[in-house]
Amino acid sequence: MCDTLIALPSDAEDGAAVFGKNSDRPPNEGQFMAYFPAARHPAGSLLQCTYIEIPQVKETFAVLLSKPFWMWGAEMGVNEHGLVIGNEAVYSKIPPNKKPALLGMDLLRLALERAKTPREAVQVIVELLERFGQGGNCASHGETMYYHNSFLLASAEDAWVLETVDKQWAARQLRDSYSISNCLTLENQFDIASPRLVPLALEKGYSKNAESFHYARDFSDLLYTTLGRGRARCAATKRLINARKGRVNVGTVMNILRHHENEPFDPQSASVFDMDVCMHAGFGPIRASQSTASMVVRLDGNNPLVFVTGTSAPCTGIFKPLWLDALPDFGAAPSAIYDSASLFWSHERLHRAVLLNYPQRLGTYAAERDEMEQRFTREALSLAAAPAAERARFSARCFQEAAEAGAEWLNRAQRVPPRKKFLHASAWKAFNRKAKMPPLH
């Protein structure tokens, strides 16, 4: 489960588009930031993706990715040309392919490496989709997830949404700010589509005739789309963007990614059916996902300014700034087992301690976190034209300051007595045991 949005320049306070995404994955699936420079490749070379090999292209672009540790692909990322992409799991009456093929996350990375614009990225994805298909297990370490994919692709000047069902697809150029979630959103309004999309719906009996074809209604499954509450989360992000029309900025999108529908929020009191934009895992198979990484990108046609948590639960963490040409040291890549050397797992100590008494423990540092984040944002914006070396030093200082603050916030939070509700505590006890987490109190 994930949520992805784009505020177009017409809705921004300073004319710069702003992209945002929460990546929702299994709680113990470490996710990390990874940079891959531009490269040239020998003619006839092959590329090993997560499950299959495909032909490599002559040249690939530099990319910054947020990626689960075990796969080749990525949940979200930006390339050197200012193209940014996020993907979503979507569910259809057409069963997802369980045989090894390209994951949606592989398609996302391939598009970033091979395209300069959103329209080119759409073409890259659909050509690969039609040739190699999408499929295979989207989870690791004994878990299983199978789904189709949708994509939001944006730059400073353009944005598209692409939604797929197996090898069929439809895409639309966006003229308003938009968001996608774990549901098909295109109705009968798309600019391009695969030739077989509508005929397939007619053959399957999903649509009565071509004139009444409605992509989201006719292809969406009932069970997963409903239980995942994709439509509700998509409506929430659209509502929150619209509430700030003409005034959207980086901070707006950060706040949207921290959104909980019911405030004051307490994950221990949440229903087993609750699924928020800021996703929190809990008891039972429905609440099995957690927001494991978050990204916000400011797109003004120059060097994209990227803000990442590099950690789970944006409501407990902090966004740090960086640029593709001015990157800090991200530290060790995580795995599914606790490792204090990785950014992801070092924050999990704080995140999982806060869960033991969310309202009061978060309250011990949230205001300080917000002030620090706002300062990071102001200073990053002021350094837009500074030399890369200066920006790299600044980004490194932000990551270091956030790490030091996180250690203090953990000590502060754990001085507040915990309180545990049985089902929620049982679920997280199991997650912690599987990850070999040190004891929390």
Side-chain angles (χ1 to χ4, degrees):
M1 305 300 172
C2 302
D3 291 281
T4 309
L5 62 99
I6 182 70
L8 296 184
S10 56
D11 287 333
E13 69 175 10
D14 59 2
V18 186
F19 167 95
K21 177 179 174 179
N22 277 346
S23 168
D24 301 338
R25 305 284 305 178
N28 289 339
E29 185 187 80
Q31 191 164 152
F32 69 107
M33 301 302 303
Y35 174 77
F36 298 92
R40 299 184 69 83
H41 308 279
S45 60
L46 295 175
L47 171 66
Q48 177 63 55
C49 298
T50 301
Y51 293 126
I52 66 170
E53 279 188 335
I54 66 170
Q56 180 59 284
V57 293
K58 181 178 179 180
E59 179 183 14
T60 52
F61 304 128
V63 295
L64 175 67
L65 307 173
S66 182
K67 63 191 302 295
F69 71 89
W70 62 273
M71 67 175 61
W72 181 84
E75 282 279 307
M76 48 199 166
V78 58
N79 74 11
E80 62 181 289
H81 298 289
L83 170 66
V84 61
I85 308 177
N87 83 303
E88 300 284 328
V90 292
Y91 301 92
S92 168
K93 295 170 185 172
I94 303 291
N97 173 31
K98 294 186 178 182
K99 296 179 180 180
L102 291 172
L103 295 180
M105 289 68 70
D106 292 340
L107 291 166
L108 183 152
R109 177 174 173 179
L110 288 163
L112 287 172
E113 290 188 341
R114 300 179 179 197
K116 294 182 179 180
T117 69
R119 181 62 184 87
E120 289 178 8
V122 169
Q123 194 63 31
V124 167
I125 291 174
V126 300
E127 288 179 359
L128 290 167
L129 182 73
E130 291 174 346
R131 182 176 178 184
F132 299 103
Q134 60 179 316
N137 188 7
C138 299
S140 68
H141 290 75
E143 300 188 49
T144 55
M145 290 192 294
Y146 300 95
Y147 48 75
H148 311 286
N149 288 267
S150 66
F151 304 86
L152 199 158
L153 317 93
S155 67
E157 301 83 18
D158 196 16
W160 283 73
V161 59
L162 167 65
E163 298 183 346
T164 73
V165 173
D166 197 24
K167 291 187 176 183
Q168 308 308 314
W169 56 271
R172 185 170 87 205
Q173 186 178 29
L174 300 178
R175 292 165 179 81
D176 294 298
S177 297
Y178 204 79
S179 65
I180 59 175
S181 188
N182 304 113
C183 58
L184 296 170
T185 65
L186 297 178
E187 301 171 349
N188 57 1
Q189 301 172 339
F190 42 86
D191 297 311
I192 51 176
S194 54
R196 286 279 299 151
L197 181 68
V198 176
L200 180 63
L202 298 177
E203 291 170 13
K204 294 285 188 179
Y206 302 157
S207 303
K208 293 181 179 179
N209 52 61
E211 291 71 26
S212 66
F213 175 76
H214 186 289
Y215 190 21
R217 179 196 64 207
D218 296 346
F219 273 100
S220 293
D221 90 315
L222 178 63
L223 181 64
Y224 287 101
T225 301
T226 301
L227 293 179
R229 293 179 55 80
R231 294 191 184 102
R233 288 184 284 113
C234 192
T237 51
K238 288 179 180 178
R239 183 183 74 246
L240 293 166
I241 296 172
N242 289 336
R244 295 277 300 180
K245 270 189 174 294
R247 298 175 293 131
V248 175
N249 57 28
V250 166
T252 305
V253 176
M254 291 174 181
N255 289 335
I256 291 174
L257 296 183
R258 290 184 171 119
H259 177 69
H260 303 118
E261 195 64 25
N262 297 314
E263 294 288 358
F265 176 71
D266 184 354
Q268 293 199 44
S269 300
S271 160
V272 295
F273 298 104
D274 282 355
M275 308 282 274
D276 281 315
V277 174
C278 184
M279 189 79 73
H280 290 262
F283 181 79
I286 297 174
R287 287 182 61 195
S289 291
Q290 171 77 35
S291 290
T292 52
S294 303
M295 176 182 286
V296 173
V297 185
R298 183 179 182 273
L299 301 161
D300 64 358
N302 298 306
N303 195 2
L305 174 53
V306 185
F307 294 85
V308 299
T309 57
T311 62
S312 70
C315 63
T316 68
I318 184 168
F319 286 90
K320 286 84 63 178
L322 49 87
W323 296 262
L324 269 73
D325 64 342
L327 296 171
D329 181 359
F330 296 120
S335 70
I337 302 300
Y338 174 81
D339 176 7
S340 62
S342 78
L343 174 61
F344 176 86
W345 282 111
S346 63
H347 175 76
E348 281 304 281
R349 293 275 293 159
L350 174 61
H351 164 227
R352 300 187 189 200
V354 168
L355 292 179
L356 296 176
N357 189 341
Y358 182 93
Q360 294 187 40
R361 289 189 166 189
L362 182 63
T364 64
Y365 71 89
E368 184 177 323
R369 184 271 316 274
D370 292 347
E371 185 280 328
M372 182 182 295
E373 189 173 85
Q374 290 162 14
R375 174 165 49 82
F376 288 172
T377 302
R378 288 194 305 270
E379 294 178 9
L381 290 170
S382 73
L383 289 171
E390 182 179 352
R391 287 182 282 111
R393 288 193 295 270
F394 166 72
S395 183
R397 287 199 305 271
C398 291
F399 273 74
Q400 181 62 34
E401 185 176 346
E404 293 171 355
E408 165 56 27
W409 295 340
L410 173 60
N411 291 332
R412 195 183 301 173
Q414 291 193 124
R415 289 196 288 268
V416 176
R419 55 180 185 79
K420 301 178 183 180
K421 292 193 174 180
F422 178 74
L423 292 180
H424 186 269
S426 297
W428 278 98
K429 183 177 180 180
F431 296 144
N432 292 344
R433 182 173 60 251
K434 192 171 183 179
K436 301 181 180 179
M437 281 282 292
L440 297 167
H441 61 273

